[in-house]
Structures are given as C-alpha cells and as structure tokens.
C-alpha cells in the first residue's frame, strides 16, 4: 500500500507551527528582550522624605533614648543596602554615629510610597551638644538635615555614646 500525500494546507500549517515554536520569526517588532526587568538602582536622598520621631527621649543624664527615623520613597523603586550614615552636629562639633555592632544590614527594595526606618539609640549626657541630625544613605555623601531636640549626647574619647540600627521595612 502506498502512502497518500498530505494536502498543502496541512503542510503549510505544520511549517508555521514549527517556525513559531522555534522562535524562527523576525524580532524586528521591538520586543526582543521583553520580560527582562532592570534591577532598581540605589536610593537617592533627594527622592526620599526623611522624618524623625516620635522619640522615646532620654529625660536625664545617663538615661537611654531612641529616635526612629523614617525614609519614604517618593521616586521610582530603589534599593537601600547597608547602614544609614548618621552625624550629630552642633556649633563646631560634628561626630559620626556608628552602626550598632549587634545589627546586621539587609538589602531593602523600596517601591514608591514605601517607608523604611532605622533607630538612633543614644545616652543623654555631656559630650555632644547637637542641634542637628544629618542622615545620609549608604555610599552617598549628601544628607538630609533634621533638627535635634533630644538633649546633649554623652561622649567618651570623642565618640558619642550612640548607635544606629540597620534599615528595616516599616509597616506590615
């Protein structure tokens, strides 16, 4: 018995299906690479709203206080990777606040209108008479200045008795 030839329409349909399945078409329609999403870049201080408080203020010398700092992204999705840079300033004095040695930095991706937070913990006492808190982002040299109204910060050997936590996602 002799095999019968397939009709032309069946052959044409099979060829079209094969070419489509193999990606053998022309990519000149502009969606080559479609589905690839670029990773967000580092957050820029100018795209964030930076606010401090409400604080659990240290009432007297020797007491410990905590000042939460919230950073809300007002730009495109971005990444915070590392610890915040924090500096206490007042008069001719300017001291950097170190990261909490027990904290571990994590990378956070902030969508638009999403908030990250960190906490500055300090001991009230003689040493640094600050009137401003300057916050910068990892790798950034610019900072946002906020008023400091939580009293003087104790210092030993020129270093403030204070530390900052890692960034954390605020809210849910």
């Amino acid at each position: 018995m002799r095999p019968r030839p397939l009709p032309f329409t069946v052959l044409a349909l099979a060829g079209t299906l094969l070419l489509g399945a193999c990606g053998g078409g022309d990519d000149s329609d502009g969606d080559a690479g479609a589905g690839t999403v670029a990773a967000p870049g580092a957050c820029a201080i100018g795209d964030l709203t930076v606010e401090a408080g409400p604080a659990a203020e240290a009432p007297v010398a020797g007491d410990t206080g905590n000042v939460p700092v919230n950073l809300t992204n007002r730009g495109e999705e971005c990444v915070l990777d590392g610890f915040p840079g924090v500096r206490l300033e007042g008069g001719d004095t300017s001291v950097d606040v170190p990261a909490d040695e027990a904290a571990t930095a994590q990378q956070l991706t902030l969508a638009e209108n999403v908030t990250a937070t960190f906490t500055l913990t300090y001991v009230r006492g003689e040493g640094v008479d600050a009137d401003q808190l300057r916050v910068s982002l990892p790798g950034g040299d610019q900072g946002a200045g906020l008023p400091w109204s939580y009293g003087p910060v104790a210092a030993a050997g020129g270093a403030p008795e204070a530390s900052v936590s890692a960034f954390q996602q605020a809210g849910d």
Side-chain angles (χ1 to χ4, degrees):
M1 179 178 226
R2 199 168 183 199
R4 289 202 269 160
L6 293 174
F8 177 76
T9 54
V10 172
L11 290 174
L13 178 62
T16 302
L17 290 174
L18 281 174
L19 280 176
C22 295
D26 180 32
D27 281 335
S28 63
D29 61 341
D31 58 357
T36 303
V37 178
C43 293
I45 198 78
D47 292 335
L48 303 175
T49 300
V50 183
E51 299 174 316
E57 191 173 335
V60 296
D63 285 348
T64 300
N66 294 300
V67 180
V69 178
N70 298 310
L71 301 99
T72 303
N73 183 16
R74 298 292 179 217
E76 294 183 15
E77 184 174 74
C78 64
V79 174
L80 292 171
D81 192 6
F83 284 90
V86 175
R87 180 178 293 232
L88 292 169
E89 301 174 341
D92 293 338
T93 305
S94 177
V95 294
D96 291 327
V97 178
D100 181 344
E101 292 177 3
T104 302
Q106 61 180 336
Q107 181 175 320
L108 289 180
T109 300
L110 293 182
E112 185 176 4
N113 296 320
V114 171
T115 300
T117 188
F118 69 88
T119 301
L120 184 149
T121 301
Y122 71 101
V123 175
R124 187 170 182 151
E126 290 186 36
V128 182
D129 242 346
D131 58 14
Q132 186 172 23
L133 171 68
R134 182 154 303 276
V135 177
S136 61
L137 302 179
D141 55 357
Q142 294 182 337
L146 302 169
W148 179 266
S149 60
Y150 310 110
V153 177
E161 291 185 39
S163 64
V164 294
S165 70
F167 291 112
Q168 298 177 22
Q169 186 108 16
D172 301 313

